[in-house]
Amino acid sequence: MTNRVEQVTIVGGGTAGWLTALSLTSFLNAGREGPPVGVTLIESPKVPTIGVGEATVAGLPMLLQQLGLNERDFFRRCNTSFKLSVRFGHWSQDASGAPIDFYHPFNFPPHLAGFIPAYHYKKYGPLDGISDFADAMVENTALVKALRGPRPLGRAPYDQAINYAYHLDAALFGQFLREGAMARGVRHVRDDVVDIERDERGYISALTLEQGGRHPVELVIDCTGFQGLILQKFMGEPFLPFGDQLLCDRAIPVQLPHRDPNRIEPCTRATALGAGWVWRVPLYSRVGTGYVYSSKFRSDDEAKAEFLAHVRRVGDLPAEAEDPELRVIKMRIGRTRRAWVKNCVAIGLSGGFIEPLESTAIHMTDASVRWLAGLFPDKAVSPDLAGAFNHRVERLYDEVRDFIQTHYLTSNRPEPFWQAARGEVQVPDGLAQRLAQWRRVLPDETDTPGHSLFNHWNYIYALWPKGHFAESEFPLEGSISRRPWELYSQHLAREKAQLLATLPDHVSLLRDIRGEPLSGTAGLAGAAAVGGLNLAQTGR
């Protein structure tokens, strides 16, 4: 008998629960000498599984590879497609009132002669006629517009010619993770937790199951979603809302067929509407889309009508098609005061949620599990470890909140919602200071120390197209010369040409990975390699 925690009990399934189970049993037991840490997942048989389309960030391929999951199986099982960027539509408008669209890619350019190349772009402009800022910096935008995949046909799983993330079906992904976890010894119990028992310290000593009765525990992980059953309901940990900073609190999700199954964009779209924004996540066999909005500025019926008008306008819902059945999900935006209290840790939605504008949900689960594994406690469950974990989680939520709020604060849309989102909200002091600073100097590495997800380049990509730097005269422009910018622009043009000449179209790559027959137009787009650069403009 040792003093280590021998058993971990996870309450709740879904992506958060099963990713936590698989990650913990993999991280804690893969190289362990002696008996493994036991992991039990208790999942309610009464909670329905929702198959929404979900976008992810570029860290997920590394996680799946570390967990030893087969990428081909993942694509076949989870309706997966590739994501090379996020396309933001109409988040601001130019002086004539025309919408401004821009891309937020996963790749970043190098320094040029010691300086961020955005200074060169500001001083000399694009040297190849490219007006899109991200397209002048990296290759992603050109590949998205040409509907290309991120690696050649026949390459090994997880190989990449350019950084990528995934679009996936969340319900199918949860099932995929469940099978992987159970194959590695995770015990699965189908039952409902109806109460808890506490010891003299206030720690949870046992769960009371509706069918199974008393279930002793050492360390409990709450993955029960928005209800926060263990940490919030039974342990009484308060929830800290972000409603004074982020106004959206409703979502309307729906699944729609592809307009053309042979043309799937390798990017997520986030298109602004009057009281929020619409996501578009193109999976392999369908599209996941929906409207995130503020109930203060739209009733549910008004939001449904606005959303349906949008999907018909862009062609995702044909004019002759019947209206799909729409349901409204209430979102609690914010986090619990502490994610780890005594011997209970909340991971996933039970610990908090920020609107999915930058597809951060799975990343936040991944980060939390890694931190928990690194701070894994003994049976005493030291408050010092919990404190370190809570500090990291708080910083991550603040980081994501600040970046999401930046998108709203720097929009110039005129509708009442957008005016409120930039003028009637609380702005964290640190974010306000940085945005003011960035009128005089571009963001650099020192502005995002210890970031988990969003660095200075993410902010540059989000701010530049909306004119945040347009009126700025940066003193550092006097320290740069034209030649490094010319050489980089020439190099980038060659890289784009090489990638466009060698990378297959997105659908062909997906079919190749899935082991399906390729169509007659499979592989390279041929003559469309250059002419097809504007293909992603369809549907606007």
Side-chain angles (χ1 to χ4, degrees), residues 41-101:
L41 188 145
I42 302 173
E43 184 175 23
S44 171
K46 302 174 185 177
V47 177
T49 300
I50 301 174
V52 299
E54 184 156 359
T56 63
V57 297
L60 187 57
M62 180 182 71
L63 173 63
L64 299 187
Q65 192 170 19
Q66 290 175 337
L67 295 177
L69 297 175
N70 185 291
E71 194 183 32
R72 293 182 184 276
D73 290 343
F74 167 62
F75 271 82
R76 287 191 291 257
R77 294 283 308 282
C78 301
N79 206 6
T80 307
S81 65
F82 285 106
K83 173 186 175 183
L84 308 184
S85 182
V86 182
R87 177 176 174 170
F88 286 83
H90 205 170
W91 277 72
S92 282
Q93 55 191 34
D94 64 18
S96 67
I100 294 174
D101 292 359

Side-chain angles (χ1 to χ4, degrees), residues 15-17 20 221-226 232 334-336 339 345-353 361-362 364-366 368-369 397:
T15 297
T20 298
I221 302 178
D222 185 347
C223 294
T224 60
F226 282 130
Q232 295 181 53
R335 62 171 175 83
T336 55
V345 183
I347 292 179
L349 299 181
S350 58
F353 180 70
I362 293 178
M364 297 175 88
T365 295
D366 175 23
S368 294
V369 177
Y397 272 92

Side-chain angles (χ1 to χ4, degrees), residues 95-118:
S96 67
I100 294 174
D101 292 359
F102 65 94
Y103 288 87
H104 180 192
F106 288 141
N107 285 61
F108 310 122
H111 279 63
L112 303 183
F115 294 98
I116 294 171

Side-chain angles (χ1 to χ4, degrees), residues 486-498:
E486 290 177 340
L487 293 175
Y488 180 70
S489 296
Q490 294 166 7
H491 167 77
L492 182 60
R494 290 192 298 269
E495 287 291 312
K496 290 179 183 176
Q498 176 68 16

Side-chain angles (χ1 to χ4, degrees), residues 82 115 283 418 456 487 528 537:
F82 285 106
F115 294 98
L283 307 182
W418 292 92
H456 61 293
L487 293 175
Q537 302 298 326

Side-chain angles (χ1 to χ4, degrees), residues 435-511:
L435 289 175
Q437 170 188 319
W438 294 336
R439 296 286 188 184
R440 294 167 173 78
V441 65
L442 287 174
D444 65 20
E445 295 91 337
T446 61
D447 295 322
T448 53
H451 71 275
S452 173
L453 188 56
F454 299 118
N455 66 17
H456 61 293
W457 264 109
N458 298 112
Y459 277 96
I460 293 173
Y461 285 141
L463 293 172
W464 197 287
K466 290 186 283 186
H468 187 79
F469 310 114
E471 304 301 322
S472 301
E473 294 184 6
F474 298 129
L476 279 175
E477 291 181 35
S479 300
I480 63 172
S481 59
R482 183 184 181 91
R483 186 57 177 163
W485 180 231
E486 290 177 340
L487 293 175
Y488 180 70
S489 296
Q490 294 166 7
H491 167 77
L492 182 60
R494 290 192 298 269
E495 287 291 312
K496 290 179 183 176
Q498 176 68 16
L499 290 171
L500 290 170
T502 56
L503 293 179
D505 68 84
H506 186 206
V507 172
S508 294
L509 179 57
L510 296 178
R511 289 173 178 161

Side-chain angles (χ1 to χ4, degrees), residues 31 65 67 90 97 103 142 150 170 189 203 207 209 238 250 270 290 294 346 349 381 413 426-427 475 478 489 503 527:
Q65 192 170 19
L67 295 177
H90 205 170
Y103 288 87
V189 176
Y203 285 49
L207 307 174
L209 306 185
R250 297 287 191 275
S294 170
L349 299 181
V381 190
R413 287 186 63 117
Q426 294 180 2
V427 182
S489 296
L503 293 179

